[in-house]
Amino acid sequence: MPENLEKFINLKRDLAEINLDPLQRGGILTPEARAALAEWGDGYSICDFCTGSMDRIRSPPVEDFIHEALPKFLGSDVVRVTHGAREGMFAAMHAICQHKDWIVADGNVHYTTVLAAERAGLKIELVPSSGEPDYAVSVEGYAEAFERAYEHKGNVSMAVLTYPDGNYGNLVDAKAVASVCHDYGVPLMLNGAYSVGRMPITACNLDVDIVVGSGHKSMASSGPIGVLGASEEYARTIFRLSPTKKNKEIELLGCTVRGAGLLTMMASFPTVVKRVNDWMREVEKARKFANKMCSLGIELQGDRPHNHDLMFFKAENLYKISQTAKKGRYFLYKDLKDRGICGIKPGLTRQFKLSTYLLTEEEIEKVLNAFDDIVNSHSTSDKA
Amino acid sequence: MPENLEKFINLKRDLAEINLDPLQRGGILTPEARAALAEWGDGYSICDFCTGSMDRIRSPPVEDFIHEALPKFLGSDVVRVTHGAREGMFAAMHAICQHKDWIVADGNVHYTTVLAAERAGLKIELVPSSGEPDYAVSVEGYAEAFERAYEHKGNVSMAVLTYPDGNYGNLVDAKAVASVCHDYGVPLMLNGAYSVGRMPITACNLDVDIVVGSGHKSMASSGPIGVLGASEEYARTIFRLSPTKKNKEIELLGCTVRGAGLLTMMASFPTVVKRVNDWMREVEKARKFANKMCSLGIELQGDRPHNHDLMFFKAENLYKISQTAKKGRYFLYKDLKDRGICGIKPGLTRQFKLSTYLLTEEEIEKVLNAFDDIVNSHSTSDKA
């Protein structure tokens, strides 16, 4: 039997006051979600109210949420809840593509898209990014990637656009990419892990056929949880029913998030709908922040002006400091932590990403002052 | 935009005091898990501490839990956390079996095993159960099922035993089934959704190659969460690494439960290890309960004497009452609810399952008194 088990209880998060990690900023629970977590925490509590199809539970109103609210919110004909964006992408690829098919994806693609494709036995042709400093992915690049895949005699059965990508926060013109994909007769899946729940995403207006979102990344939900929306045409295949088990969708293994996570997503939903409408304020906030960082010698990469709270910075001055600082390349992590700030990976100085999403003015001020302080105090001590 | 969103917040569970549903009894959170849920609820909080492989996070001690505690607990060489038993079964089938292969499974198999096989493109040959009243699955039945699959010219690449099954709570001799499977050169996967976390399960002692468990069903964890253990031989394939993304396991899409659920499983683990050792008390409790139900004319089906807390009953007397009761076949559900008891599906009277797992003596007494009362009050009112 395992021993010394006390170490697994009473574990604390021990975080700094302000967490700049882009993958955490959109997942902070609302007070309503926190209450749902306490109420519905046990096992898979929602199943007490199920009569065979989880998405059809009427009380609590899971059916209204999954069959009415989410489709309207996403602009998709059919939506289901998944274990996360990656699981949604795999489900769509596994259902729609044939083993050994090809998919085309943007060069800034999240690693989980690659894993989903590998798990489904698919090959990937990437649309290269322009590299430093813009890391831009072009719409025409999709057409060229389709052509390259055909040169391999590949059957291309899906395209993916990471919207925005998780490194630079770049937003490619999704509608234009969709148009190229449709010219080639290929459906476009939008990976909206960093957009669904942050900014307005309406799949039908963007002409995208499939969209995935992440509850833990951007919908103030306790993970793992995500959403998967599809147009009628592709939903038929993705959400096909079992030939032997009544009302059970094969690709979801019957049902997915059968616990508290779903109730947190529902409880946060009114707040999420509201915050999506306030998106431009977040963009303005990010732009102002980036300008001030620039004045400290820390330069924004990716789309400029930027259109998202996820930002990638290049800081030759911090890198220079790291070469002589006592703590070496860990100085930035430690200096920020001393000032109540975390979320930039330990050891990074020359380039790093962060997010200003939902930070208050005071918090932004605190972060900027911290960077100012760090840049200047080290310059001074260097000179001394 | 969606409207009337207030209905998604402040949702209460509205349950009776005692819940007899077998799928809920082992998932009730420990106080330690409840504290973990509150501490780690946000988004996917655990990722703050990840440097690329979730199962290698040292603080909190995820690495110790996944690489030391769980393998010892399950008697498996390698263990990973999954989204649940069904997701674990799919991962194992998808990794090990080839499209159009066959699997052999017990006739009492859970519907999710069938869905996992359908999702992986596999065909199933079932070992029939003996039917009423024992619903027994024989060890020799596995050999016969292998032979039938071969008659279809099928390549059989896995066998599954549901241990116990989720309808009758029957425990087939797993070691003997494993021996038959190995004679045919086929790995055996144990679906321990109702055993791992309730009773001692040591995969290597049972000679099973793969085992799945359910955190929400039987490990006092907030779902969806499960465990997947495998012997070295099969772990190599199931947990194979991506050729392109360093340290990422393809079949898990990198990582699975990246949130509070994992911390609840860890926090409940000391209690779970302890309760597994007290398993025979639960079996005694179930047997006593079944005997008393029998004296009320409500007969246990399945293994007798019974070896599990999940029990299936046949009640001709309750069925007879339903034919004249005012509330018809819903009388039992309502009569029990009036007495503070839920968990038997609304509308069932003639046969139903329930569990006595972790009920106190007082609660057991209350449940038995309720059945006594219901059987006798209706008999009296019938006579009146």
Side-chain angles (χ1 to χ4, degrees), chain A residues 7 13 27 29 34 39 41-44 49 83 86-87 94 118-119 217 222-223 242 244 251 253, chain B residues 13 27 29 34 39 41-44 48-49 64 83 86-87 94 118-119 217 222-223 242 244 251 253:
Chain A
K7 66 183 163 191
R13 284 177 74 184
L29 296 187
R34 206 161 272 287
E39 177 77 15
D42 288 326
Y44 39 11
F49 305 92
H83 293 303
R86 64 186 75 184
E87 287 83 358
H94 186 255
E118 288 175 351
R119 190 183 186 194
K217 244 179 190 161
S222 189
S242 162
T244 60
E251 203 61 50
L253 299 173
Chain B
R13 284 178 72 183
L29 297 188
R34 206 161 273 287
E39 178 76 14
D42 289 326
Y44 39 11
D48 277 319
F49 305 93
D64 285 357
H83 293 303
R86 65 185 75 183
E87 287 84 358
H94 185 254
E118 289 176 352
R119 190 183 187 194
K217 244 177 189 160
S222 190
S242 162
T244 61
E251 203 60 51
L253 298 173

Side-chain angles (χ1 to χ4, degrees), chain B residues 181-331:
Chain B
C181 295
H182 295 159
D183 284 348
Y184 283 86
V186 170
L188 177 62
M189 174 160 69
L190 203 70
N191 177 359
Y194 277 112
S195 53
V196 172
R198 282 167 127 103
M199 53 188 280
I201 293 290
T202 310
C204 56
N205 292 348
L206 295 173
D207 287 344
V208 302
D209 307 276
I210 301 156
V211 58
V212 300
S214 167
H216 36 267
K217 244 177 189 160
S218 301
M219 297 176 80
S221 312
S222 190
I225 186 167
V227 291
L228 166 59
S231 66
E232 197 66 52
E233 181 181 357
Y234 295 99
R236 270 196 295 272
T237 306
I238 300 175
F239 305 122
R240 70 200 177 283
L241 292 172
S242 162
T244 61
K245 300 292 169 186
K246 197 182 155 197
N247 295 332
K248 303 292 186 186
E249 290 166 347
I250 294 179
E251 203 60 51
L252 305 181
L253 298 173
C255 50
T256 57
V257 181
R258 38 205 188 273
L262 174 59
L263 275 291
T264 66
M265 182 182 270
M266 288 165 65
S268 282
F269 191 64
T271 304
V272 164
V273 168
K274 196 169 168 298
R275 80 190 195 186
V276 159
N277 290 329
D278 291 339
W279 173 242
M280 279 317 294
R281 263 194 254 168
E282 291 294 332
V283 173
E284 288 306 326
K285 194 198 292 178
R287 287 176 180 176
K288 268 192 204 166
F289 179 87
N291 285 341
K292 296 216 170 148
M293 289 287 270
C294 182
S295 71
L296 298 174
I298 301 171
E299 281 171 40
L300 180 71
Q301 309 288 291
D303 289 344
R304 281 167 299 179
H306 209 60
N307 300 307
H308 199 274
D309 60 271
L310 191 165
M311 293 173 280
F312 189 88
F313 288 98
K314 201 175 162 188
E316 290 298 337
N317 51 354
L318 294 174
Y319 175 63
K320 202 174 158 195
I321 291 170
S322 77
Q323 292 177 310
T324 57
K326 263 190 200 163
K327 303 161 197 158
R329 65 194 185 93
Y330 291 94
F331 93 95

Side-chain angles (χ1 to χ4, degrees), chain A residues 292-299 313-322 324-325 331-332 335-336 339 344 349 352 366-384:
Chain A
K292 297 215 170 148
M293 289 287 270
C294 182
S295 70
L296 298 174
I298 301 171
E299 280 171 41
F313 288 97
K314 201 174 162 189
E316 290 298 337
N317 51 353
L318 295 173
Y319 175 63
K320 201 174 159 195
I321 292 170
S322 76
T324 57
F331 94 94
L332 180 62
D335 278 12
L336 284 171
R339 289 162 176 83
I344 293 177
T349 59
F352 50 83
K366 191 172 168 179
V367 174
L368 286 167
N369 286 340
F371 275 104
D372 192 347
D373 204 23
I374 292 166
V375 168
N376 288 310
S377 67
H378 282 277
S379 312
T380 315
S381 63
D382 280 357
K383 282 173 206 162

